[in-house]
Amino acid sequence: MTEPSSSIPPAERVFEGIPASAGIAIAHAFILSQDEDPSPHDPRLEAEEIQIELERFAAALAEADKVLEQIEMMARADVRDRAEIFEALRMMLCDPALTLAIEAQIRESSSTARAAIVTETNRLAAIFSASGDETIRSRAEDIRSLQAHLIACIQKAPVDHRFHDSAVLILSTLSPSDTVLYARNQAGAFVLESGGINSHAAILARAFGVPMVAGLKGIARMSRPQGMVIVDGYAGRVIIDPEPATVQQYRERKAALEEQRSNLGSLRDLPAETTDGTRISLAANLDMIDEVDAALENGAEEIGLMRTEYLVMGRSGDVSMEEQYSYYRQLAERAYPLPVTLRAFDIGSEKLAGEIWGRNSSPLGMRGTRLLLARREVLDRQIEAVLRASAMKNLKLMFPMVSSVEEIRRLKEVIADVGGKLRAENIRFDEHMPIGAMLETPAAALTADAFAAECDFLSLGTNDLAQYTLAVDRTDDALASYYDEFHPGILRLIRACSVAARRAGIPLTICGELAANPLATGVLIGLGIRRLSVQPIALGALKMRIRAIDTDTAGRMARDVIRLKTAAEVRGYLMDCA
Ligand code: PEP
Ligand code: MG
């Protein structure tokens, strides 16, 4: 076997991580050297050195607090409310539980300040890491970042935050303050070996608009300094040494996204209405609370689908009522006065299937509302938290993957029971919080009139409706060519739902991917759809498309395509119209 010649360019390698902050970067890698194990084997102090070391620690503490205060001020200027992360960090830093423990180590074990900081912060981080609560677990990272701060201050060796030309920074971990400083120094993107969607670094990266992919263990070792990297923060993908064709493809995507963003400014305050003045309501689909800002910036009129699964990721459903309440409440406040449609946990199938949720990975198995009705304690907790958070009257609750109206009836009984309990405890909530169903199975779509009679609103989840109507597992790549939402069978189901909702006089929103597909906009409007909910980033393009359509043409398109026989014929027809 021959050694590869050094003139052969390195092969493209693709890594899938956690999409922690949206955006695309194409740049050179800047690998930030792995921190050495800070655990020092410092010699024991002599008795007369102890007082000096205590003073060094006090000075380092004051210095670290000053540095964090400065970063907090910078963050306040750039990302407003995210600066509160630093307030919390400073409180942790000066918490006597930590500082007294470090001082005691120095005094009683004759440790150097550095060794005492490492021991005590590691101890605290281990306690946080062992918590069953994900929010508390993620605070272990904050403690480690405080450790790095204090040590840098003790050693008088601040981190250098300069690098070149919007580089992609590849790091093992990233503290909140480093995130701010790197972002202000024009980091192109962050690629992290650790972390997740909810770390402070991720929240700040999103606030600064710097793409981030997290959770790629070993990526620093596999990257070349100055090598070309593509970071796709939408998909959570990192491509090392991309082929020229891949670079070209991503350049085009990036340019299209930038153009869309710049067009958006002028479109933002214009209504989403057809050329003949028919208003279409545009809402946003969100997975996480931090995306509320993006929804508002992109002109969403509501949050049409707030997925809640992320709250139970990695847990068996025992996320407490209190934690959920605080999350839903914050969401309601941040979006206020916009309405927010919370979707009850849609667990099973491709979402969070696995060990802790039981063997429910089949799309035809225990999933969504079925699973909630089988796990009453999980359902009751979620309903209680949503009702408690509904006092501002801008929350709605909808249930996924239902196949019979009986499920809705049972859910309404549960809601009434939980509401009765809250009333007995004198807890205020929205007594008329709207309850809706997601039409995602053919059975539900074909009995949309029955659902309309029981619900305050309906939402069409075309991703699943396509999966179940076409009998195609939506996650199976081998079947991708069979999964086509333009199948006339699906369009006919959409028409049936639209007619049922109109007759019942209740709102119907399309919240599946089809809603964002510009090829579909005309035909959906022609089928009578007046509400669309899509990812915030897709709102601008969708509004532009709507403003170029007239309802007569849309109606004709709908009448024509509904008679066609195949998805290919529908696509062909719509392409000709475009
Ligand atoms: C859908 O099925 O269309 C939908 C919006 O829900 P999800 O993609 O979360 O299943
Ligand atoms: Mg769905």
Side-chain angles (χ1 to χ4, degrees):
M1 204 163 144
T2 49
E3 281 288 303
S5 139
S6 59
S7 61
I8 297 175
E12 168 176 303
R13 282 163 302 154
V14 180
F15 299 90
E16 306 286 344
I18 300 165
S21 174
I24 289 174
I26 307 163
H28 294 286
F30 190 86
I31 305 167
L32 282 136
S33 57
Q34 304 282 94
D35 287 336
E36 287 161 24
D37 179 2
S39 203
H41 299 288
D42 290 354
R44 298 261 164 235
L45 298 172
E46 299 297 333
E48 63 276 17
E49 291 172 318
I50 287 181
Q51 188 51 35
I52 302 169
E53 205 63 7
L54 284 169
E55 283 161 20
R56 278 185 75 207
F57 170 61
L61 190 61
E63 177 64 17
D65 188 47
K66 205 168 91 201
V67 172
L68 283 178
E69 187 185 9
Q70 282 164 358
I71 298 171
E72 182 184 335
M73 273 154 58
M74 289 182 206
R76 215 169 275 292
D78 296 333
V79 288
R80 297 181 315 269
D81 49 337
R82 294 299 180 283
E84 71 206 20
I85 289 173
F86 292 96
E87 258 175 58
L89 271 180
R90 289 175 65 202
M91 273 168 68
M92 263 183 177
L93 179 73
C94 299
D95 185 342
L98 177 64
T99 56
L100 292 179
I102 294 174
E103 285 166 6
Q105 268 274 323
I106 300 174
R107 204 176 294 113
E108 288 153 29
S109 309
S110 307
S111 295
T112 60
R114 192 168 79 138
I117 291 166
V118 171
T119 311
E120 290 306 320
T121 47
N122 280 353
R123 192 180 54 79
L124 210 54
I127 295 173
F128 284 140
S129 301
S131 167
D133 183 318
E134 196 192 321
T135 314
I136 297 178
R137 271 203 309 276
S138 72
R139 296 297 80 93
E141 273 182 48
D142 292 341
I143 288 289
R144 286 191 202 100
S145 82
L146 291 179
Q147 177 186 81
H149 268 298
L150 282 167
I151 289 178
C153 291
I154 283 277
Q155 296 176 330
K156 299 195 171 23
V159 182
D160 187 353
H161 291 95
R162 284 163 306 166
F163 45 84
H164 300 291
D165 60 10
S166 305
V168 170
L169 304 189
I170 302 182
L171 310 107
S172 46
T173 59
L174 184 59
S175 70
S177 44
D178 285 347
T179 315
V180 171
L181 295 173
Y182 288 131
R184 285 175 68 98
N185 276 331
Q186 316 301 328
F190 297 116
V191 175
L192 296 190
E193 302 212 320
S194 60
I197 285 173
N198 223 11
S199 69
H200 279 155
I203 293 169
L204 287 163
R206 289 195 288 276
F208 275 95
V210 180
M212 178 192 277
V213 175
L216 279 175
K217 209 163 168 36
I219 191 80
R221 244 186 315 105
M222 288 180 272
S223 313
R224 287 186 308 116
Q226 294 303 316
M228 179 65 105
V229 186
I230 295 175
V231 178
D232 178 348
Y234 297 102
R237 188 169 300 137
V238 174
I239 307 173
I240 291 181
D241 296 318
E243 306 275 353
T246 315
V247 174
Q248 184 55 24
Q249 184 195 334
Y250 270 92
R251 285 218 169 103
E252 283 165 17
R253 224 181 124 204
K254 192 166 154 59
L257 287 167
E258 274 159 16
E259 193 191 323
Q260 191 176 315
R261 200 168 306 143
S262 67
N263 288 337
L264 216 65
S266 52
L267 266 181
R268 222 198 93 121
D269 299 320
L270 293 176
E273 72 185 19
T274 58
T275 52
D276 54 327
T278 301
R279 284 284 277 124
I280 307 296
S281 162
L282 289 189
N285 292 349
L286 309 185
D287 291 301
M288 283 177 304
I289 194 166
D290 294 301
E291 294 165 334
V292 169
D293 295 348
L296 301 177
E297 276 157 27
N298 288 285
E301 296 162 58
E302 312 197 5
I303 309 304
L305 164 63
M306 179 73 215
R307 296 182 170 99
T308 56
E309 292 78 42
Y310 123 89
L311 271 170
V312 282
M313 264 179 201
R315 308 193 199 175
S316 57
D318 53 2
V319 48
S320 70
M321 193 287 294
E322 288 76 14
E323 190 185 340
Q324 290 188 61
Y325 162 69
S326 128
Y327 184 80
Y328 303 143
R329 169 92 209 198
Q330 274 183 55
L331 189 63
E333 281 171 3
R334 272 168 76 165
Y336 190 83
L338 303 194
V340 178
T341 302
L342 286 166
R343 176 175 77 185
F345 298 139
D346 185 9
I347 296 154
S349 186
E350 85 288 353
K351 298 190 195 79
L352 309 178
E355 286 304 300
I356 50 179
W357 285 97
R359 292 161 55 81
N360 45 12
S361 61
S362 161
L364 298 178
M366 257 312 188
R367 169 186 174 184
T369 297
R370 293 173 186 174
L371 187 66
L372 289 175
L373 286 168
R375 293 275 304 265
R376 274 294 301 274
E377 75 292 356
V378 178
L379 176 64
D380 284 14
R381 265 200 301 268
Q382 187 170 34
I383 288 177
E384 180 172 346
V386 174
L387 283 180
R388 280 173 182 256
S390 69
M392 289 164 68
K393 306 206 166 159
N394 64 333
L395 291 186
K396 308 182 201 179
L397 179 60
M398 71 177 175
F399 291 90
M401 229 297 263
V402 286
S403 50
S404 160
V405 77
E406 287 157 340
E407 290 161 293
I408 295 295
R409 291 189 187 130
R410 285 174 65 195
L411 289 163
K412 281 166 67 181
E413 281 168 21
V414 177
I415 295 169
D417 284 353
V418 176
K421 189 182 126 208
L422 294 183
R423 229 172 278 122
E425 291 172 33
N426 280 328
I427 293 169
R428 272 182 57 236
F429 64 95
D430 181 0
E431 298 270 356
H432 305 288
M433 183 177 74
I435 304 298
M438 284 188 81
L439 304 176
E440 302 188 282
T441 60
L446 289 166
T447 53
D449 54 343
F451 280 91
E454 295 282 347
C455 294
D456 300 306
F457 65 95
L458 296 172
S459 195
L460 253 165
T462 48
N463 306 339
D464 277 310
L465 188 63
Q467 152 162 277
Y468 295 120
T469 307
L470 302 170
V472 174
D473 179 341
R474 68 195 250 194
T475 61
D476 189 342
D477 289 344
L479 295 174
S481 63
Y482 288 94
Y483 183 94
D484 195 328
E485 296 149 305
F486 286 97
H487 191 294
I490 294 169
L491 298 178
R492 289 177 202 186
L493 287 175
I494 295 175
R495 180 178 60 176
C497 296
S498 174
V499 169
R502 195 172 54 246
R503 285 199 180 133
I506 63 167
L508 168 73
T509 303
I510 297 201
C511 66
E513 292 301 312
L514 189 64
N517 189 328
L519 201 58
T521 315
V523 71
L524 294 180
I525 292 175
L527 290 172
I529 300 297
R530 296 291 178 264
R531 305 168 72 90
L532 298 169
S533 192
V534 301
Q535 276 183 30
I537 190 118
L539 283 164
L542 184 55
K543 192 187 276 186
M544 217 176 329
R545 181 84 195 98
I546 290 166
R547 289 178 62 82
I549 287 170
D550 78 272
T551 44
D552 278 351
T553 315
R556 201 169 44 248
M557 277 161 76
R559 281 192 298 279
D560 286 350
V561 295
I562 216 91
R563 292 197 205 104
L564 297 176
K565 296 188 177 62
T566 67
E569 283 174 27
V570 173
R571 281 178 182 279
Y573 174 99
L574 295 176
M575 302 254 236
D576 287 345
C577 296

